[in-house]
Amino acid sequence: MQLRHLRTFSAVAETLNFTRAGERIHLAQSSVTEQIQALESDLGVALFDRSRRRLALTPAGERLAFYAAEMLRLAGEARSAVVEAAGTVSGKLVVGGLETLCATRLPRLLATFHRLHPAVELTLETADSGSLHSGVKSGDLDVGFFFGDARDGSNFRSEAVARDELMVMLPPNHRLVGHGEIEPADLASEAFLVTRPGCIYRRLFDEAFADSPSGRPKLVGEFASIGSIRGLVHAGLGCALAPRTALEGGPDGLAAVPWVGRQRSAPVTMLWRGGRPAAATAAFLAVARKDFGA
């Protein structure tokens, strides 16, 4: 069995789609098909049931999926150990982050890492928090950054590397502009803008007003991104709650006042796959801890 065939098999086993698997590992569908056929010929068994409308793993395929994941993990560890012994860090590193972090905090981090490890080829991708988790679990992303609590799982690790102060965005000339701080009671009668359910910024809003005796502000509507909300707040449509980082690059005149609710800040969390990380990933994690802690 060849590692490249196992890598292709794992992608198909996870997506149950030859086309999507090819997109994930950057191979044409015909190449994916050829490699799966070669692996099945090598093992002498069918790994996928192609008789149904939806591709499915056979019992032999389900058994191989477990071993393939372990073999690929060990191969990655072996490569990392050899590279470390040689004293160099090289390869590819794919970093993902929320749009806000990709536009503000991550560029400096990647520039710092590149100066220290110029042989590593870097990619930065923007995604929502759900896609960051699935991308790290699948191996499409090596490291992800988002706002939220750190929680370890069976196949991933996470760590809070910083905290970002929560701010209330206000339209210019709003009655609360100039206040030293804002608490839930100050916003009881205010129009508020939020992102859609499932978004981390919406979760921050829901948690901020979960125990407020004065109740939640009146929601004007749900919007696709924190960037669009910044513009709408500036235009006078209402107020919004967001980490301070999300205000960077906003329109001139946009006001913001510190929030003093139950949770005054949001953790910036770093996420990566479990097990021994590859040399480039391990080096990046170390640089990130130092850079965010600076």
Side-chain angles (χ1 to χ4, degrees):
M1 289 183 290
Q2 299 183 39
L3 283 176
R4 65 189 183 96
H5 290 170
L6 289 177
R7 189 170 291 107
T8 300
F9 165 76
S10 293
V12 178
E14 290 177 2
T15 62
L16 294 177
N17 185 287
F18 279 45
T19 300
R20 288 201 297 273
E23 293 172 350
R24 172 178 291 185
I25 57 178
H26 309 293
L27 287 177
Q29 181 180 341
S30 58
S31 297
V32 173
T33 301
E34 290 172 1
Q35 290 192 25
I36 296 300
Q37 290 174 342
L39 183 58
E40 289 178 326
S41 177
D42 182 27
L43 294 172
V45 297
L47 299 172
F48 294 95
D49 183 353
R50 301 169 175 81
S51 64
R52 309 174 188 177
R53 293 186 61 182
R54 178 177 173 81
L55 194 68
L57 285 165
T58 64
E62 292 178 352
R63 182 66 61 87
L64 179 61
F66 170 80
Y67 286 103
E70 287 298 299
M71 293 169 72
L72 291 170
R73 181 183 63 80
L74 286 172
E77 288 188 9
R79 179 184 294 274
S80 179
V82 170
V83 169
E84 286 180 7
T88 60
V89 179
S90 60
K92 296 182 178 181
L93 187 74
V94 183
V95 179
L98 297 178
E99 181 179 1
T100 297
L101 295 172
C102 285
T104 55
R105 305 196 68 166
L106 294 183
R108 186 187 71 180
L109 169 58
L110 265 64
T112 299
F113 179 79
H114 178 70
R115 286 194 297 271
L116 296 171
H117 304 287
V120 178
E121 180 183 333
L122 295 170
T123 300
L124 179 61
E125 297 186 358
T126 300
D128 58 36
S129 55
S131 298
L132 290 172
H133 278 80
S134 61
V136 168
K137 290 178 183 179
S138 69
D140 289 346
L141 298 174
D142 296 303
V143 186
F145 291 89
F146 61 96
F147 292 114
D149 293 328
R151 295 188 180 91
D152 290 347
S154 59
N155 55 357
F156 67 90
R157 299 281 308 281
S158 63
E159 174 184 334
V161 291
R163 296 200 69 88
D164 206 339
E165 183 183 18
L166 291 178
M167 306 289 290
V168 179
M169 291 188 282
L170 303 168
N173 302 318
H174 190 277
R175 66 180 181 84
L176 294 174
V177 172
H179 280 224
E181 56 189 29
I182 290 177
E183 58 185 26
D186 295 325
L187 299 170
S189 60
E190 292 293 332
F192 231 78
L193 315 180
V194 294
T195 52
R196 294 166 181 163
C199 173
I200 182 58
Y201 302 112
R202 177 60 176 271
R203 192 181 315 155
L204 291 173
F205 169 82
D206 290 337
E207 292 175 354
F209 290 95
D211 302 322
S212 173
S214 56
R216 296 182 358 155
K218 177 184 177 182
L219 297 187
V220 174
E222 299 173 351
F223 303 93
S225 71
I226 199 68
S228 61
I229 286 178
R230 277 192 324 227
L232 291 167
V233 170
H234 184 259
L237 190 58
C239 308
L241 182 71
R244 180 181 289 274
T245 299
L247 276 65
E248 295 183 23
D252 293 338
L254 180 68
V257 176
W259 169 254
V260 291
R262 181 168 55 92
Q263 183 172 326
R264 299 191 178 198
S265 62
V268 179
T269 296
M270 180 168 65
L271 177 76
W272 67 97
R273 290 190 85 175
R276 180 188 176 95
T281 302
F284 183 80
L285 296 177
V287 173
R289 292 184 182 105
K290 184 176 181 180
D291 187 79
F292 273 96

